[in-house]
Amino acid sequence: MRTLPARRIAAVALTAAASVVALAGPAFAHVTVNPGSASQGGYTAVDFRVPNESDTASTVKLEVNLPLDHPLASVRTLPMPGWTAVVEKSKLDKPIKVHGSDVNEAVSKITWTADAGTKIAPGQFQEFRVSLGPLPTDADSMAFKALQTYDNGDVVRWIDESKEGQPEAAHPAPVLKLTKASGDAHGAGASATAGPAAGTHGDSSDHAAASDGDKKASDSTARTLGVVGIVVGVIGAAVGIAGLRRKSSGSAS
């Protein structure tokens, strides 16, 4: 009977540890844009990476909204078997100049819908590839608000904007960071992204950005493991204290 409190303490601590892991897991499963950075003024190809977060439903549609405050004149989707892509354009309030010509409309939304028999099932993810440009030269990032629809009718809105110095939003919008171009927009910047636009995945810029993404994921994992370690330490301390109390009680008797 004297061991019951120790067991209760251990059970509570283990439940707390499981809760920490359960809460930390979804943080790794956001809809993201990869690679996460590109050169200002250039052209690039990116993947909108969509993980299925549900254990019981499958993803059957993705909507990505492109910002019109920095419109993109050239947007093309890579054909994907089993999915139908629909590109919507909107008229611009103010035309933009691209290579000396006025552009009066730009792509405002891309919708991918799964064909019959196609889905992103639980435990899976899918990547939707798009080439786009020229990227703005007067912005340091672009947010692409996205909606993820499941076959049970649930819609997850990845539209929140995370602010510097604040905790990450619950459903952050995919963000493409823009860096200063090291050369001409059609020189070094364009050649670095020519491979992905042709449907390949092997250029150096992709690997550099992927490494940056992997580093962030590793940092998040390290933080989560650190929290779990603290919880496990609490478990050990609680059990140890309970054991000392049992010994003291036995000695007194």
Side-chain angles (χ1 to χ4, degrees):
M1 295 296 294
R2 293 175 180 173
T3 61
L4 187 58
R7 290 176 180 174
R8 286 179 177 174
I9 293 172
V12 171
L14 286 171
T15 300
S19 299
V20 170
V21 174
L23 292 173
F28 303 141
H30 299 333
V31 172
T32 56
V33 56
N34 298 278
S37 64
S39 297
Q40 294 176 339
Y43 291 77
T44 191
V46 299
D47 293 319
F48 289 97
R49 185 173 298 165
V50 182
N52 195 87
E53 294 186 306
S54 174
D55 294 330
T56 58
S58 299
T59 298
V60 292
K61 185 166 71 172
L62 173 69
E63 300 170 67
V64 174
N65 294 275
L66 283 67
L68 289 181
D69 55 345
H70 291 97
L72 300 169
S74 176
V75 177
R76 295 180 174 85
T77 60
L78 183 70
M80 181 182 300
W83 294 82
T84 299
V86 175
V87 176
E88 298 180 29
K89 293 184 177 181
S90 296
K91 188 175 180 61
L92 301 176
D93 295 333
K94 182 180 180 180
I96 58 174
K97 280 196 174 294
V98 179
H99 307 313
S101 301
D102 286 340
V103 175
N104 296 300
E105 62 179 12
V107 173
S108 55
K109 184 167 73 170
I110 306 173
T111 302
W112 287 271
T113 304
D115 299 338
T118 301
K119 60 187 177 181
I120 308 174
Q124 298 179 349
F125 76 95
Q126 184 61 270
E127 292 182 332
F128 300 85
R129 172 150 285 215
V130 180
S131 68
L132 41 80
L135 301 173
T137 57
D138 58 347
D140 56 12
S141 67
M142 297 182 73
F144 299 88
K145 296 183 178 182
L147 276 65
Q148 180 180 8
T149 301
Y150 288 86
D151 57 8
N152 65 355
D154 290 346
V155 178
V156 181
R157 301 168 62 84
W158 301 97
I159 62 173
D160 299 335
E161 295 188 25
S162 300
K163 296 182 180 180
E164 191 72 25
Q166 295 185 4
E168 185 180 44
H171 296 93
V175 174
L176 176 66
K177 294 184 178 180
L178 302 177
T179 59
K180 294 293 184 182
S182 58
D184 181 75
H186 293 278
S191 62
T193 57
T200 63
H201 293 263
D203 63 88
S204 59
S205 63
D206 271 359
H207 286 301
S211 297
D212 181 62
D214 291 342
K215 181 179 179 182
K216 291 180 180 178
S218 297
D219 291 343
S220 298
T221 303
R223 287 195 295 270
T224 301
L225 292 176
V227 173
V228 173
I230 293 173
V231 174
V232 172
V234 171
I235 294 173
V239 173
I241 292 172
L244 289 175
R245 287 176 176 175
R246 289 199 307 273
K247 289 182 179 179
S248 298
S249 177
S251 298
S253 62

